[in-house]
Amino acid sequence: MTCISLGAFAQIDTASYPKERQEIRQLLRSQGPGTNINCADMIAVGPKGDISFTRQQWIEAQKKEKLVFKAVRPIPGNEFIRIYDGTTAVVNLLINVNIVVDGRDLNIKVRRLEVYHKTSGNWCRVAGQGTQVDENIFPINTNHKP
């Protein structure tokens, strides 16, 4: 009986809250340089472990590192969305990022973990952290299905 129970808990829910899932997918795809999807009280952790408690702090950290986002594109099939109570979303996604760091153009893949909250009918990001994917160690399987 225990083995059967554990199997049921390990499943990823990909069907509940279809409207909210679509709203989150649309939000993820609409991100671009200068787009603000962050809540006023968001927390972000940068690639070097720096922490920002506001959008302004996050922008200042990027300036300090001489980092400019040119493009951010989710990789289809690598967005995993969990919705809780219709007002909270936990998202794990893989993105292609085109950035300029200290004057050098870079194209990297980043695995993001983000938390969104829906208030007054709108979603905003309350937390996020990204890690650059080393494809030599962790090859990306774009056919992965939960």
Side-chain angles (χ1 to χ4, degrees), residues 117-128:
H117 179 66
K118 189 174 192 178
T119 181
S120 301
N122 296 308
W123 290 98
C124 60
R125 183 171 42 205
V126 293

Side-chain angles (χ1 to χ4, degrees), residues 84-101:
Y84 300 92
D85 299 324
T87 61
T88 303
V90 177
V91 179
N92 184 283
L93 72 155
L94 184 63
I95 55 177
N96 279 317
V97 180
N98 178 250
I99 56 175
V100 177
V101 179

Side-chain angles (χ1 to χ4, degrees), residues 2-12:
T2 302
C3 291
I4 295 169
S5 299
L6 291 176
F9 286 113
Q11 297 298 316
I12 296 175

Side-chain angles (χ1 to χ4, degrees), residues 23-139:
E23 291 170 349
I24 292 293
R25 279 189 200 92
Q26 183 61 33
L27 188 65
L28 295 173
R29 287 178 175 84
S30 69
Q31 291 185 64
T35 304
N36 184 8
I37 60 169
N38 299 315
C39 294
D41 62 344
M42 77 93 163
I43 296 174
V45 177
K48 294 182 179 180
D50 54 300
I51 189 165
S52 302
F53 294 99
T54 66
R55 175 175 166 73
Q56 190 57 43
Q57 284 181 353
W58 183 67
I59 291 169
E60 293 302 320
Q62 292 173 24
K63 286 180 187 176
K64 182 179 175 187
E65 296 296 326
K66 299 179 183 173
L67 180 105
V68 177
F69 284 90
K70 292 173 71 177
V72 176
R73 293 174 304 281
I75 297 174
N78 286 275
E79 300 166 337
F80 307 101
I81 302 169
R82 294 183 180 180
I83 305 289
Y84 300 92
D85 299 324
T87 61
T88 303
V90 177
V91 179
N92 184 283
L93 72 155
L94 184 63
I95 55 177
N96 279 317
V97 180
N98 178 250
I99 56 175
V100 177
V101 179
D102 201 15
R104 294 181 305 136
D105 271 318
L106 294 173
N107 291 300
I108 59 174
K109 287 188 175 63
V110 175
R111 174 73 61 193
R112 294 276 306 162
L113 181 60
E114 300 181 341
V115 180
Y116 293 84
H117 179 66
K118 189 174 192 178
T119 181
S120 301
N122 296 308
W123 290 98
C124 60
R125 183 171 42 205
V126 293
Q129 181 167 4
T131 302
Q132 183 177 348
V133 177
D134 183 339
E135 292 187 79
N136 293 320
I137 298 173
F138 301 104

